[in-house]
Amino acid sequence: MDATRTARMAARPVIAVTTGEPAGIGPEICMALAARLSGATPGTDRPARIVLLGDRGLLAERARAAGVAPVLRDYVAAAAAAGDGGVELLHLPLRASCRAGRLDPANAAYVLALLERASDGCASGEFAAMVTAPVSKAVINDAGIPFTGHTEWLAERSGRGADGVVMLLVGGGLRVALATTHLALADVPRAI
């Protein structure tokens, strides 16, 4: 890791948050997060910068529908970003219009573009980490794109393959690594 990248990440890490399936719950979850962080006391410094990756119009629509008014600043990679509790937005446009609850394979490429941009940013050191909102595997597959899940997609994209990569769930002091993923319960014994 070069010195500039190390210094940037140590000073204030940038966390990329993909907004997920545009017709799903991800945009609302992200707007709730942004609204909560926007309500922070001015001058409050956060330990990390939060950058949402998604469509500006879609997120504004979902914020209005949820009755929240988050402050979203445009993301500038090199900016130090004031510690005002706000959230930054890296605008990536939808591929097709979208209505909440109406899944459309026409936006499968958009969903993958969010993941690609976040993972590329992590690989380059622009982002210290990524968080992903839910996606619809079925909609991505309906678009003719093979997609088993985030874990497998990230493993393949990183060049690591499925071996040695695990899905880890963390919460309430508990950390659980899964022995299998995306299998019918009847198939689990043979897979272990």
Side-chain angles (χ1 to χ4, degrees), residues 30-150:
C30 291
M31 290 297 85
L33 168 69
R36 183 174 181 191
L37 294 178
S38 295
T41 305
T44 301
D45 195 25
R46 298 225 175 251
R49 289 169 57 193
I50 305 298
V51 178
L52 298 179
L53 282 68
D55 182 90
R56 181 181 313 284
L58 170 72
L59 295 174
E61 173 189 310
R62 297 302 164 76
R64 280 190 301 276
V68 296
V71 175
L72 295 176
R73 294 185 311 272
D74 289 335
Y75 170 66
V76 178
D84 63 1
V87 172
E88 297 168 72
L89 173 64
L90 174 56
H91 173 68
L92 296 169
L94 281 167
R95 303 293 168 93
S97 63
C98 177
R99 286 186 31 192
R102 302 271 175 139
L103 298 171
D104 185 351
N107 273 316
Y110 163 79
V111 171
L112 293 179
L114 299 175
L115 294 173
E116 288 168 359
R117 179 61 177 88
S119 65
D120 288 349
C122 286
S124 73
E126 175 185 7
F127 303 133
M130 70 185 276
V131 176
T132 60
V135 301
S136 171
K137 294 184 269 301
V139 170
I140 296 170
N141 288 314
D142 287 348
I145 303 167
F147 186 87
T148 307
H150 286 97

